[in-house]
Amino acid sequence: AQSVTQPDIHITVSEGASLELRCNYSYGATPYLFWYVQSPGQGLQLLLKYFSGDTLVQGIKGFEAEFKRSQSSFNLRKPSVHWSDAAEYFCAVGLSGGYNKLIFGAGTRLAVHP
Amino acid sequence: DGGITQSPKYLFRKEGQNVTLSCEQNLNHDAMYWYRQDPGQGLRLIYYSQIVNDFQKGDIAEGYSVSREKKESFPLTVTSAQKNPTAFYLCASSRSGLAGELTTHNEQFFGPGTRLTVL
């Protein structure tokens, strides 16, 4: 069955430090991969997406993610974290064929220390 | 500005009551979705609709109902049959592909959510 795993439930980093959030997926076909961010009590905003082509994808707010087929991973990175990046981050895989279904990971909550 | 609105932001339900959550979009999207979010579980799909007057069950449809009479609107009713309705509910929409077929290339845009609490 298709699934998305985000191994880290909570991560705390210092402002200005680098960040990497992990995402692993299980899907037999070519995946369509997304990262969303959610501020407390708010909806989700798309950070970036991967469909094909270059495996390093640039997104909004200085985020990037790298698709590694051999590792079934799509990790999110940012070289220097800002306090405003504190939020919950969700990785999702889109299933090809049929309707536009997304499978979400459980999320990683990011805290940023000043 | 184009976007998705959900109302109310907070909703309280008594045992045995049905309640309806509103979702409206002005993005001219054909497809709309309802998700339920619980702590530590990510988002789970309740219902989705590819086009007006059509909708399909998602992964956790029991105890919920929807309608899609207008392209812009996709209300969700939480019925008394839903035994554990306390959660955060998110509505989303997306473009569809050619001939109404959905593609996974299309980003889903999310509303701000409704927090439902059972008293």
Side-chain angles (χ1 to χ4, degrees):
Chain A
Q2 305 90 354
S3 65
V4 176
T5 301
Q6 294 181 245
D8 304 304
I9 298 174
H10 295 281
I11 284 183
T12 301
V13 299
S14 298
E15 191 168 17
S18 63
L19 172 70
E20 182 170 32
L21 302 181
R22 296 182 291 165
C23 173
N24 294 99
Y25 66 90
S26 173
Y27 185 53
T30 300
Y32 304 97
L33 297 161
F34 305 80
W35 274 101
Y36 284 86
V37 61
Q38 183 182 34
S39 297
Q42 301 297 317
L44 275 67
Q45 180 184 23
L46 182 70
L47 286 175
L48 47 77
K49 56 188 176 184
Y50 170 80
F51 297 143
S52 64
D54 193 346
T55 57
L56 185 62
V57 180
Q58 301 297 320
I60 63 171
K61 305 185 180 186
F63 285 92
E64 67 178 26
E66 186 172 12
F67 170 58
K68 293 185 177 180
R69 184 185 300 275
S70 62
Q71 299 178 18
S72 297
S73 69
F74 189 55
N75 294 348
L76 182 71
R77 301 194 294 248
K78 187 170 185 178
S80 178
V81 170
H82 188 263
W83 64 267
S84 60
D85 293 324
E88 190 153 21
Y89 292 80
F90 292 94
C91 181
V93 61
L95 308 183
S96 59
Y99 68 96
N100 192 17
K101 181 175 182 177
L102 294 179
I103 304 295
F104 285 86
T108 296
R109 183 167 298 278
L110 174 66
V112 180
H113 280 179
Chain B
D1 290 337
I4 302 177
T5 57
Q6 292 186 240
S7 62
K9 186 172 179 64
Y10 299 97
L11 185 58
F12 298 92
R13 192 193 91 168
K14 293 181 180 179
E15 294 284 348
Q17 274 186 336
N18 292 355
V19 292
T20 298
L21 284 60
S22 170
C23 177
E24 304 276 335
Q25 55 98 1
N26 62 3
L27 300 168
N28 199 33
H29 286 167
D30 284 313
M32 296 187 74
Y33 315 81
W34 273 105
Y35 292 92
R36 170 179 172 142
Q37 184 178 20
D38 297 281
Q41 294 192 44
L43 279 70
R44 294 180 290 169
L45 183 66
I46 305 173
Y47 267 97
Y48 67 99
S49 169
Q50 300 183 35
I51 200 166
V52 174
N53 293 322
D54 181 69
F55 50 84
Q56 305 295 330
K57 293 181 179 180
D59 299 319
I60 56 164
E62 184 175 355
Y64 300 98
S65 66
V66 294
S67 62
R68 186 83 188 278
E69 298 176 0
K70 298 187 301 181
K71 186 176 185 177
E72 301 80 14
S73 179
F74 191 40
L76 173 74
T77 297
V78 184
T79 74
S80 57
Q82 171 49 239
K83 297 307 179 187
N84 184 24
T86 295
F88 191 54
Y89 291 86
L90 287 161
C91 178
S93 71
S94 71
R95 292 186 296 112
S96 63
L98 296 176
E101 179 180 340
L102 295 177
T103 77
T104 50
H105 293 119
N106 295 327
E107 171 190 353
Q108 291 187 21
F109 292 81
F110 285 82
T114 292
R115 185 164 299 281
L116 173 63
T117 302
V118 174
L119 301 176

